[in-house]
Structures are given as C-alpha cells and as structure tokens.
C-alpha cells in the first residue's frame, strides 16, 4: 500500500506533504533520521488512530500514572482550595454549577470539545469563565498536557 505522505527537505528543514490534500507541514527538525521517524509516526497515526491513542496514553501514564484516571473534580477542588475569602466563596458556588455535572467525573483525557460545548449550552457566561479557569489550572499544574479549548 502506497503512503499518502511524502518527506521533503527545504532550506535544510524537513517537511511532510499529504499527497491527497497537498497540505505541507514542518516536521521541525533538520535531522534526517528524526524526520524519517516522525513521518513514520504520522503514517502510523493515520492508519491506526485507535491504537495510537492507546499508545499515547501508555506513554503519558509512564510520566504520570494518575493521568488516565484524573477527573475534573479534583482539579475543581484543588483550584477552590487555593482561594481565600470572597473569592473562595464564589468558587465554591461556581463549582456546584449543574453544567459542570457533564464533565465533573469524566477522565480529563476522555473529555472532548463536544463535552465543553454541551456544558456551555447548559450554563451561562459564568460557566464559560469558570470552565476556562478550571482548564487553565489543570494546564498550569501539568495535570493536562495540552490545551483542549481554543483561546477564543
């Protein structure tokens, strides 16, 4: 089976090109061996997306054993615990928002953008503000490896 991705070098940097869409992406390396390995991973990710998700979880679990089990509830609790006075009281009330019930007990790694959108539909402006704070707190604490929400 012929691969739909090709490797090429431009100005010393390596790129991949999707031969079907003609989209080109930098592999962000000047090392040919590394570029070939990255292209291989890209091809495998395209062929077996489910398997690669399990492989990624395995790698993440090696660095943080709790990452596959961690839900948003402990994140919400820790974030609230760091606040004092009136801010603490506002956080306590905000964390009881029914809209957060959709994501509260889902593992962070299994939370998708559709979950966020549903929570935003059920909640209001405050829900959006606190959802963003919860997400940023998880990122800052390194309990989440990458952002799942766009900046705006």
């Amino acid at each position: 089976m012929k691969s739909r991705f090709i490797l090429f070098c431009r100005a010393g940097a390596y790129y991949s090109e999707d031969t079907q869409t003609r989209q080109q992406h930098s592999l962000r390396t000047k090392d040919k061996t590394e570029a070939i390995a990255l292209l291989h991973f890209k091809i495998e990710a395209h062929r077996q997306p489910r398997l690669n998700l399990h492989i990624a979880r395995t790698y993440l679990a090696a660095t943080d054993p709790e990452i596959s089990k961690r839900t948003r509830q402990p994140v919400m609790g820790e974030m609230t615990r760091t606040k004092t006075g009136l801010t603490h009281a506002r956080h306590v009330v905000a964390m009881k928002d029914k809209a957060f019930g959709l994501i509260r007990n889902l593992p962070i790694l299994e939370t998708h953008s559709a979950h966020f959108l549903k929570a935003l539909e059920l909640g209001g402006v405050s829900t959006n503000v606190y959802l963003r704070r919860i997400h940023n707190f998880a990122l800052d604490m390194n309990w989440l490896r990458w952002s799942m929400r766009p900046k705006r």
Side-chain angles (χ1 to χ4, degrees):
M1 181 169 136
K2 186 178 176 189
S3 171
R4 73 182 256 183
F5 297 99
I6 59 171
L7 179 71
F8 67 95
C9 184
R10 182 186 305 142
Y14 286 91
Y15 293 80
S16 69
E17 180 178 332
D18 184 326
T19 57
Q20 290 180 354
T21 66
R22 308 305 291 173
Q23 287 187 330
Q24 299 176 352
H25 297 282
S26 172
L27 295 175
R28 296 185 178 155
T29 185
K30 293 184 177 193
D31 182 327
K32 185 175 184 176
T33 305
E34 186 178 349
I36 291 169
L38 290 170
L39 183 67
H40 173 72
F41 295 141
K42 193 173 211 172
I43 291 166
E44 287 303 308
H46 181 74
R47 285 186 187 155
Q48 306 172 49
R50 280 180 154 304
L51 175 62
N52 286 295
L53 182 59
H54 292 295
I55 291 169
R57 284 185 181 142
T58 303
Y59 277 114
L60 287 171
T63 60
D64 181 1
E66 295 297 312
I67 198 162
S68 62
K69 297 179 241 164
R70 188 174 294 120
T71 66
R72 297 224 181 252
Q73 182 60 51
V75 177
M76 296 161 102
E78 285 299 314
M79 186 176 85
T80 301
R81 194 177 63 76
T82 64
K83 308 302 179 204
T84 59
L86 292 174
T87 304
H88 180 267
R90 279 194 302 274
H91 271 117
V92 168
V93 171
M95 295 309 125
K96 293 178 183 175
D97 187 341
K98 290 181 182 177
F100 293 142
L102 295 170
I103 62 167
R104 187 179 314 278
N105 296 313
L106 280 176
I108 292 176
L109 287 181
E110 294 178 20
T111 310
H112 301 286
S113 56
H115 296 118
F116 288 122
L117 290 173
K118 188 68 174 167
L120 290 172
E121 283 176 22
L122 291 175
V125 174
S126 178
T127 304
N128 185 24
V129 170
Y130 281 96
L131 186 58
R132 200 172 287 283
R133 288 179 184 180
I134 294 164
H135 189 70
N136 289 337
F137 187 80
L139 282 169
D140 292 345
M141 295 303 294
N142 226 9
W143 291 338
L144 182 60
R145 300 289 187 234
W146 58 87
S147 182
M148 300 171 84
R149 296 192 64 201
K151 285 283 183 196
R152 295 275 175 234

